[in-house]
Amino acid sequence: VIMAFVVVALVSLLLPLAAAEEVPFEAKPNGQAQSVTASLPDNTECTFSYTCQGGTGEQWVLKLEKSDGQVMCSAGRGGASYLYFADFKMTLGKHTLEHSLAKDLSGAIKESEYIVEGDTITSSPSFGNALSHVEVGAMEISIEA
């Protein structure tokens, strides 16, 4: 019994730690700035902020994952969005972004429609106001604020 416990303990030390949180939210088309945050137990945070307008609210999900030395955050609907986004911003606190992607109904939006700086992706002045998914990724090593 003790040997089995030791083996299980050693194996658990060798396996990469994984953590995830999903935060469902309603993207409310009220023209007011809104934000939603996902947090992991180790204080890794991702915040998605936006302002949108349109007919009815849409169910979106903010997802924060950490696995195999990578941290990923995404916000999306899982399909097409018909909201008009005045702006958006996603911050993966204390991590330098190495990957970013924003999509609309047609696929990836032009890189000129968003700006990536440090731990943040944000809409640029030339943003076309269509958004259905945004994601960022970084190595697990964090930067100091």
Side-chain angles (χ1 to χ4, degrees):
V1 174
I2 293 175
M3 183 60 130
F5 175 77
V6 170
V7 170
V8 169
L10 288 174
V11 169
S12 68
L13 288 174
L14 297 175
L15 294 176
L17 297 177
E21 182 183 28
E22 287 190 9
V23 180
F25 66 98
E26 182 180 358
K28 298 176 186 173
N30 59 13
Q32 298 178 5
Q34 302 168 66
S35 67
V36 60
T37 299
S39 303
L40 297 178
D42 67 356
N43 295 322
T44 300
E45 285 190 351
C46 180
T47 300
F48 178 60
S49 304
Y50 62 95
T51 306
C52 65
Q53 297 175 337
T56 59
E58 297 177 348
Q59 293 302 311
W60 282 51
V61 174
L62 179 65
K63 186 173 184 179
L64 177 59
E65 299 176 274
K66 184 183 277 193
S67 180
D68 296 325
Q70 298 285 318
V71 182
M72 298 291 293
C73 184
S74 64
R77 180 161 194 229
S81 173
Y82 299 97
L83 296 176
Y84 176 93
F85 282 82
D87 57 67
F88 73 89
K89 178 180 179 180
M90 180 175 277
T91 302
L92 186 56
K94 298 183 181 178
H95 289 81
T96 300
L97 301 184
E98 296 181 1
H99 163 78
S100 60
L101 176 67
K103 296 181 181 179
D104 64 13
L105 294 171
S106 303
I109 66 174
K110 297 175 190 168
E111 289 186 16
S112 62
E113 294 187 52
Y114 59 90
I115 300 164
V116 177
E117 289 185 27
D119 64 354
T120 302
I121 180 174
T122 187
S123 52
S124 73
S126 63
F127 174 54
N129 306 107
L131 188 69
S132 60
H133 178 89
V134 61
E135 68 182 54
V136 297
M139 296 298 292
E140 195 169 336
I141 301 168
S142 64
I143 57 174
E144 294 302 317

